[in-house]
Amino acid sequence: MIVVLKPNTPEEAIEALKKEITSENNVEINHSQGTETTILGLIGETQHVDIHKLRSKGIVEKVLRVQEPYKKASRSFHPKDTIIDVNGAKIGEGFFAVMAGPCSVESEEQLTGIAEAVKASGATFLRGGAFKPRTSPYAFQGLGPAGLELLVKAKKATGLPIVTEVMDISQLAAFDDVDVIQVGARNMQNFTLLKELGHVGKPILLKRGMSATMRDLLMAAEYIMAGGNDDVILCERGIRTFETATRNTLDLSIIPVLKRHTHLPIIIDPSHATGLSWAVESMAKAALAAGADGLMVEVHNDPQKALCDGDQALTPEMFDHIMSQLKRYAQIEEKAI
Ligand code: PEP
Ligand code: MN
């Protein structure tokens, strides 16, 4: 339920109303303060809230029942775009973040080299998998905790915040120095993991499951937010369709639709979406033009020898070229890159 207050309602009156609502009902209040308007989002047993009584209050402009099953993730609860600030690297609204790095961390030499190269080209985050969800149990599974240590070393060397995937709650203890925790497409509906991430106090990069609808994605975000963690970055990384010419089908049209339904930032991963390194540039430009708040791209110093996803990996030179193109596009879109 949403209670919209009249413009310029004094703070004391707002607080008094909040107190009255919570003392009479088993609900939690999400307070969203705009420059003039105040929105109180009620979550919990809202079916028992006396809507007529609320509407009769002098400071209340209107009361609406929210149709969507997600609340904290909903734009109606929080009309302003959320901007997530990770040690000064911002994502959301006018800030376009670029997360770049290898699919998996393979060695110190590989990671440091790539980290320095992507930083020089303008990446704002370093990505790299230490725990890898692989289709085959015989494929390289990632370096595990040793990979995390290499990521932290690369972060110290370059100053880039790091983004890496967690596959299981048991791994979280080793994530203290990780800046953004990634939930992979295959784990988007691992509800036990999502609940735990509601308490970690770090931003979560939530990738859309390959057969997840927008509602499924936003409900997964809601699981994290319901636990108290509001910093969720959504990532469209391609969905499964009948098309086999690309690894997945990049659903760019979800960007404007998501923007209507949620205030959370949305980034695009054209690497896993296409599976084709030469297709990444056009999809990256399209993502920026379509209103995305950032990108996640895979970059490898020697794609042919990559232990994972070599076909979609950009070389540092290709990445550098794409960044120079994106900087031009960002000017048209008035985004800081
Ligand atoms: C990744 O980013 O390395 C990854 C495994 O992506 P996804 O979960 O989208 O397949
Ligand atoms: Mn990959």
Side-chain angles (χ1 to χ4, degrees):
M1 182 180 280
I2 288 170
V3 183
V4 183
L5 302 186
K6 293 206 173 127
N8 306 315
T9 300
E11 213 179 301
E12 310 81 68
I14 300 174
E15 289 311 315
L17 180 63
K18 280 167 72 177
K19 223 177 197 171
E20 184 182 326
I21 296 172
T22 48
S23 65
E24 291 174 1
N25 303 282
N26 190 16
V27 294
E28 199 190 296
I29 299 184
N30 207 64
H31 184 153
S32 173
Q33 190 65 57
T35 35
E36 283 185 5
T37 351
T38 305
I39 292 179
L40 304 178
L42 276 48
I43 304 169
E45 291 173 18
T46 52
Q47 69 275 23
H48 303 310
V49 174
D50 186 343
I51 198 162
H52 303 291
K53 187 174 162 196
L54 271 182
R55 281 185 179 140
S56 69
K57 305 260 176 215
I59 60 167
V60 172
E61 173 115 12
K62 56 184 172 186
V63 183
L64 310 162
R65 288 222 177 259
V66 181
Q67 299 307 320
E68 296 113 345
Y70 43 89
K71 316 282 178 205
K72 294 194 167 187
S74 165
R75 194 176 278 283
S76 45
F77 261 56
H78 188 292
K80 264 185 23 197
D81 280 335
T82 285
I83 300 174
I84 295 176
D85 188 331
V86 187
N87 312 334
K90 291 186 182 146
I91 314 170
E93 218 185 356
F95 300 98
F96 193 82
V98 181
M99 305 176 175
C103 178
S104 55
V105 178
E106 297 171 8
S107 69
E108 180 165 356
E109 195 193 1
Q110 173 241 22
L111 188 67
T112 320
I114 296 170
E116 276 162 5
V118 297
K119 167 147 192 194
S121 302
T124 42
F125 289 81
L126 174 66
R127 66 141 283 147
F131 298 97
K132 294 302 304 175
R134 304 302 302 277
T135 302
S136 165
Y138 309 115
F140 176 57
Q141 304 286 306
L143 295 180
L148 288 180
E149 279 174 29
L150 294 180
L151 280 162
V152 174
K153 262 194 174 173
K155 165 180 159 174
K156 286 192 181 134
T158 58
L160 289 177
I162 50 179
V163 187
T164 193
E165 177 167 352
V166 69
M167 287 170 59
D168 187 83
I169 292 178
S170 62
Q171 297 160 354
L172 274 173
F175 276 60
D176 278 356
D177 295 323
V178 170
D179 300 289
V180 177
I181 303 177
Q182 177 172 326
V183 175
R186 291 155 191 83
N187 258 319
M188 190 205 81
Q189 284 188 317
N190 180 339
F191 299 118
T192 320
L193 179 62
L194 298 177
K195 280 186 190 168
E196 190 63 28
L197 295 173
H199 311 295
V200 294
K202 285 177 196 283
I204 309 298
L205 174 71
L206 179 64
K207 296 190 99 176
R208 179 181 183 182
M210 48 193 97
S211 57
T213 61
M214 180 192 74
R215 189 172 178 271
D216 296 336
L217 174 62
L218 290 177
M219 289 310 287
E222 190 77 17
Y223 259 93
I224 300 167
M225 300 175 88
N229 187 352
D230 290 334
D231 291 343
V232 180
I233 304 154
L234 305 171
C235 178
E236 157 63 30
R237 44 77 72 204
I239 49 174
R240 280 269 164 91
T241 66
F242 52 81
E243 182 57 83
T244 54
T246 47
R247 184 176 177 182
N248 291 286
T249 297
L250 179 57
D251 183 10
L252 281 177
S253 59
I254 205 68
I255 301 171
V257 183
L258 271 169
K259 290 271 170 203
R260 284 215 153 194
H261 287 88
T262 185
H263 54 90
L264 297 172
I266 300 136
I267 70 163
I268 295 295
D269 171 353
S271 304
H272 290 91
T274 63
L276 306 162
S277 60
W278 48 266
V280 168
E281 177 176 345
S282 55
M283 291 301 98
K285 289 180 194 165
L288 202 161
D293 300 301
L295 291 172
M296 170 171 263
V297 288
E298 288 188 346
V299 179
H300 198 284
N301 54 327
D302 191 352
Q304 284 182 346
K305 295 212 180 95
L307 295 180
C308 180
D309 287 351
D311 290 346
Q312 67 195 35
L314 302 170
T315 60
E317 294 73 30
M318 289 165 87
F319 178 70
D320 190 63
H321 169 73
I322 293 177
M323 284 304 291
S324 62
Q325 295 289 307
L326 290 174
K327 282 172 193 160
R328 290 176 42 224
Y329 278 61
Q331 282 181 358
I332 301 172
E333 296 293 330
E334 294 181 354
K335 289 194 187 241
I337 187 169

